[in-house]
């Protein structure tokens, strides 16, 4: 179910603070994230996040097309093996 527009986007404050610090300093390091439900906001564009899928961290480079989506949408949690025919 979608979050109410009245409440706004859910953004983890620690992740947003890290992005703002890195914007101010100018360096672009990979940010490790366990919070897959966090929405992508314009301050996060251009950063690389290592999103946890339950087993390992998967790198996700954030572009403008991803605004409004969640971080977990771009990292699958299950691996497809094959279909038995």
């Amino acid at each position: 179910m979608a979050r109410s527009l009245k409440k706004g986007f859910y953004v983890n404050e620690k992740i947003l603070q890290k992005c703002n610090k890195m914007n101010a300093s100018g360096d672009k390091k990979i940010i490790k994230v366990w919070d897959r439900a966090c929405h992508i906001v314009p301050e996060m564009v251009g950063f690389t996040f290592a999103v946890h899928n339950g087993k390992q961290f998967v790198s996700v480079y954030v572009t403008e097309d991803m605004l409004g989506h969640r971080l977990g949408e771009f990292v699958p949690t299950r691996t497809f093996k094959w279909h038995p025919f």
Side-chain angles (χ1 to χ4, degrees):
M1 179 178 281
R3 187 170 165 91
S4 170
L5 289 176
K6 178 177 68 173
K7 293 181 184 178
F9 288 126
Y10 165 69
V11 181
N12 192 335
E13 291 297 321
K14 288 186 179 183
I15 296 172
L16 195 58
Q17 288 174 356
K18 287 180 184 180
C19 289
N20 290 334
K21 277 185 187 177
M22 289 174 65
N23 271 334
S25 66
D27 56 333
K28 301 268 185 172
K29 294 188 288 187
I30 296 177
I31 302 171
K32 275 191 170 183
V33 176
W34 284 266
D35 191 5
R36 298 170 51 89
C38 179
H39 278 94
I40 297 174
V41 292
E43 289 86 6
M44 296 180 182
V45 173
F47 288 104
T48 303
F49 292 93
V51 183
H52 197 257
N53 70 352
K55 184 177 179 182
Q56 60 190 7
F57 288 94
V58 180
S59 294
V60 175
Y61 180 75
V62 177
T63 61
E64 290 184 13
D65 297 335
M66 297 179 179
L67 289 176
H69 292 274
R70 296 173 187 256
L71 286 171
E73 291 182 37
F74 304 103
V75 180
T77 56
R78 299 180 181 168
T79 56
F80 175 74
K81 298 294 184 184
W82 59 286
H83 280 296
F85 292 111

